[in-house]
Amino acid sequence: MSGVAGDGTLAPSDFRVAAVAFAERWKSAVSALPPWSWIPRPTHPWLSNEVDGYLALENACLLGSSEEKSVGCCGGSEEPNCSGDDEPVDDATLVQSSRDDVHYYDFHIIYDSSYRVPVLYFRAYCGDGRTLLLNEFEGDLPADSSEALVKSKWTFITQEEHPYLNRPWYKLHPCGTSECIKLLFQSDASIRTTSGAAELYLLSWFSVVGRLVGLGIPYEMMKCENNT
Amino acid sequence: MASDSPNSDRKIVVHLRATGDAPILKQAKFKISGAEKFAKVIDFLCRQLHRETLFVYVNSAFSPNPDELVNDLYENFGFDGKLVVNYACSMAWG
């Protein structure tokens, strides 16, 4: 029986459904960032609750300028949206700065079998590929999220070995996720058991968690196709 | 916003709903211009409740970006002539 459990968790069998729906909607609604891709992983027949892949968004570019933070798609083929100029003009134009503080981010959404919820892993690095430590990229995070992360009972940042890549990544700890989702889904009791609940799960979850790292969900992503 | 439709000036009724262990406001309904950003609702809530951060979300299990316009949120998530904004305390235990 699919749907979101009353305890705010997501069944492993629903994670892929949720991931595909999330990635599709993201592609339609978010043009300034790269799309999410499903990365398949082999599963082991002797492990239960395993999921056969995860979502990845890589090479997202955050400018570390002190004046303005904008998020853009660097390294991809962005169409210039200003004709008549020699160079493509883009909201996320790289600015030459003495600090060389262009930061790149990889985000992975990975299902956690113990907590039965998705977890956001992320890695920051600079142009030469060097991985950044938290205190080096903390300034990229939205102003209020550092405080929220320190004081929140929903989540906090920890550094752990990536479940598949055997390298240290940062992650937003999942211990508060189910509680957070429970509240979110209580706002509309009918949706929890509908067939769209699994699809909704990642959208709802990311609207909270993503924003802590500077990625929000535009409201357009929440609209159903048949919503009038 | 060069629209001369009445939408740009209209006031939206916002109904603030306490959830989880959040304190209930004495005055839970108020009007705000649709042209304001959602951030203003969040700030108002934080000030009223003397909290620095709150977990704020609308119906349809969604926590909007503070930059979204109240008008847009009402259009998409409002019903019965109002926008219900739920809030819960996100502060750590203790």
Side-chain angles (χ1 to χ4, degrees), chain A residues 147 151 153 204 211 219 223, chain B residues 52 61 63-64 68 76 90 92:
Chain A
E147 174 140 14
K151 296 183 177 172
K153 65 185 180 190
S204 299
R211 200 164 58 233
Y219 69 86
K223 292 194 317 200
Chain B
E52 284 156 36
S63 184
E68 304 280 22
N76 290 281
S90 60

Side-chain angles (χ1 to χ4, degrees), chain A residues 40-92:
Chain A
R41 298 293 308 185
T43 54
H44 309 90
W46 59 87
L47 288 178
S48 63
N49 284 348
E50 252 199 319
V51 169
D52 60 352
Y54 61 95
L55 279 176
L57 186 162
E58 302 192 342
N59 302 315
C61 176
L62 296 189
L63 299 184
S65 120
S66 54
E67 290 158 20
E68 215 167 82
K69 299 199 191 331
S70 58
V71 182
C73 174
C74 301
S77 46
E78 280 270 272
E79 290 299 319
N81 47 11
C82 184
S83 62
D85 282 354
D86 290 337
E87 293 174 339
V89 175
D90 182 4
D91 284 344

Side-chain angles (χ1 to χ4, degrees), chain A residues 92-113:
Chain A
T93 301
L94 296 181
V95 173
Q96 198 67 339
S97 136
S98 57
R99 283 192 288 145
D100 181 31
D101 49 7
V102 177
H103 296 162
Y104 297 88
Y105 284 80
D106 292 342
F107 296 98
H108 289 177
I109 299 179
I110 303 180
Y111 184 79
D112 186 301
S113 317

Side-chain angles (χ1 to χ4, degrees), chain B residues 36-54:
Chain B
E36 293 279 9
K37 290 193 179 174
F38 189 60
K40 192 148 186 193
V41 177
I42 301 176
D43 285 344
F44 173 79
L45 265 172
C46 288
R47 276 185 282 116
Q48 289 292 304
L49 298 170
H50 308 293
R51 307 244 168 200
E52 284 156 36
T53 62
L54 279 171

Side-chain angles (χ1 to χ4, degrees), chain A residues 144 147-148 151-154 179-180 183-185 187-188 191 200 204 207-208 211 216-219 222-223 227, chain B residues 19-21 52-53 55 57-66 68 72-73 76-77 86 88-93:
Chain A
D144 58 352
E147 174 140 14
K151 296 183 177 172
S152 173
K153 65 185 180 190
W154 306 121
E179 205 178 330
C180 177
L183 277 183
L184 276 168
F185 275 68
S187 68
D188 193 345
I191 56 180
L200 185 59
S204 299
S207 73
V208 178
R211 200 164 58 233
I217 295 231
Y219 69 86
M222 299 302 295
K223 292 194 317 200
N227 200 17
Chain B
T19 63
D21 50 1
E52 284 156 36
T53 62
F55 176 40
Y57 55 106
V58 297
N59 284 346
S60 306
F62 169 60
S63 184
N65 271 327
E68 304 280 22
D72 292 332
L73 296 178
N76 290 281
F77 305 103
N86 306 289
C89 290
S90 60
M91 306 295 272
W93 296 109

